[in-house]
Amino acid sequence: MLLNLAFGWSLRWTGTASNEAAPYLRVYFPGLRSSLVPRMFSAAARLVTKRFHGIRQIVRQSPAVSAGGAGTSRSYSTALNYHIDSPDNNPNALWEFSASNMERVKEILTHYPSNYKQSAVIPLLDLAQQQHGGWIPVSAMNEIARVVEVAPIRVYEVATFYSMFNRTKVGKYHLLVCGTTPCMIRGSRDIEEALLKHLGVKRNEVTKDGLFSVGEMECMGCCVNAPMIAVADYSKGSEGFTYNYYEDLTPKRVVEIVEMLRRGEAPPVGTQNPNRIRGGPEGGNTTLLGEPKPPPCRDLDAC
């Protein structure tokens, strides 16, 4: 309904705006023919209409909508911000922190003033996600709202804003491929294609054995070692949760890492290029080979 209203508004606004803008455009562009003004706004209207139509199609064709909530896959790495109740994700399902995690909750709350408990929403969502196998059901969000004494919507708006909070099921090993420009230039799409083909899934789907899922993430902050992935390991619960980077990847190497994880092994983190040390140049340093010289005067005020 909202999309239909926005669609209609865009058409009405375009007609009004073209009439109001025409005198101003002729002042700044004396050679502009009056007949061109409606055409300019018509082109803008077509663009807006096309965009709204695309969004409407996404909503209508989404598996969760078309199957009445039975589907859990998403068309894009950042899912549309809606929730549809399902048997394992609804506000009536019982959810609470484990005894050990409840102790961690109490410790987290000590970091903030007692009248600002809501500041703990992000670390508590992270803890809930670790406990719940990599995703956060709405009942967990409600429990967090109760703990920090805010309306549930205050937790929902945080969980739907940050893409690292998963609101649908992921694999025990959630593989996130960096899709930002440096990694893309260095072959991140080939990395993602190799993962999806090897695991037999689409983006944001979970393998049948529940072990793996593949998503996309924007800049991981290690562009010098592009392309790279992050692996969120939920296989050992919140007590054994790890989040590691694997850099300088090739399609062959990323498949090897997947198989090592499947066997329960721990692949070496960081660069996968044997000729590099961390973020250093391949083959070793060519400059800064010794200790830097100290400044001529340590006491800057006396210099």
Side-chain angles (χ1 to χ4, degrees):
M1 179 179 178
L2 289 176
L3 290 176
N4 290 331
L5 288 173
F7 171 71
W9 171 84
S10 68
L11 293 181
R12 288 194 295 274
W13 173 84
T14 303
T16 303
S18 63
N19 294 330
E20 293 180 354
Y24 297 98
L25 288 173
R26 282 195 292 271
V27 169
Y28 290 103
F29 303 97
L32 183 66
R33 296 202 307 270
S34 300
S35 59
L36 290 180
V37 175
R39 296 181 188 176
M40 292 167 60
F41 281 90
S42 295
R46 286 194 295 271
L47 185 62
V48 172
T49 301
K50 183 178 180 181
R51 179 59 178 158
F52 277 125
H53 179 71
I55 295 173
R56 187 162 53 186
Q57 289 297 108
I58 291 171
V59 173
R60 287 178 175 175
Q61 295 176 6
S62 171
V65 174
S66 60
T72 58
S73 63
R74 291 289 187 267
S75 300
Y76 294 97
S77 59
T78 318
L80 292 173
N81 292 332
Y82 59 81
H83 167 79
I84 296 178
D85 285 352
S86 62
D88 59 353
N89 189 6
N90 65 80
N92 297 320
L94 178 63
W95 196 97
E96 57 186 14
F97 285 104
S98 64
S100 59
N101 279 342
M102 199 62 216
E103 293 302 314
R104 295 175 65 180
V105 169
K106 294 176 182 178
E107 193 274 331
I108 289 171
L109 291 176
T110 64
H111 298 181
Y112 309 97
S114 59
N115 58 331
Y116 284 98
K117 288 182 179 179
Q118 65 267 33
S119 299
V121 166
I122 287 180
L124 293 183
L125 281 169
D126 184 42
L127 182 60
Q129 180 164 278
Q130 294 174 27
Q131 176 179 313
H132 201 71
W135 68 287
I136 310 171
V138 68
S139 54
M141 299 181 205
N142 292 343
E143 174 63 9
I144 291 171
R146 185 193 68 79
V147 169
V148 300
E149 300 176 4
V150 297
I153 185 61
R154 296 301 184 189
V155 181
Y156 302 162
E157 62 191 9
V158 175
T160 56
F161 180 82
Y162 292 103
S163 61
M164 288 179 70
F165 293 131
N166 305 309
R167 292 178 295 111
T168 56
K169 289 182 179 179
V170 298
K172 292 182 178 180
Y173 300 100
H174 189 40
L175 315 175
L176 295 162
V177 182
C178 182
T180 311
T181 306
C183 277
M184 187 175 291
I185 291 173
R186 294 279 293 166
S188 65
R189 285 291 170 258
D190 295 334
I191 301 300
E192 182 184 45
E193 184 179 349
L195 284 172
L196 297 178
K197 182 178 180 180
H198 181 70
L199 295 172
V201 295
K202 297 179 181 178
R203 186 189 292 178
N204 297 316
E205 287 184 345
V206 183
T207 55
K208 293 180 180 179
D209 57 10
L211 278 180
F212 297 99
S213 56
V214 181
E216 183 186 12
M217 185 175 176
E218 295 308 311
C219 191
M220 299 178 185
C222 196
C223 307
V224 70
N225 288 7
M228 62 180 296
I229 66 171
V231 178
D233 181 355
Y234 300 103
S235 63
K236 303 177 183 66
S238 53
E239 292 78 9
F241 172 74
T242 60
Y243 188 87
N244 291 314
Y245 285 171
Y246 299 89
E247 306 146 7
D248 289 312
L249 292 171
T250 63
K252 178 182 178 182
R253 181 56 183 165
V254 79
V255 169
E256 292 173 352
I257 289 174
V258 166
E259 290 307 309
M260 292 177 72
L261 293 171
R262 192 191 300 276
R263 295 191 297 268
E265 301 173 9
V269 301
T271 179
Q272 304 299 301
N273 184 341
N275 297 319
R276 296 185 71 179
I277 299 176
R278 299 183 180 89
E282 185 170 353
N285 290 356
T286 57
T287 61
L288 302 176
L289 300 177
E291 288 295 320
K293 294 181 179 179
C297 182
R298 290 285 183 181
D299 186 355
L300 298 180
D301 294 331
C303 289

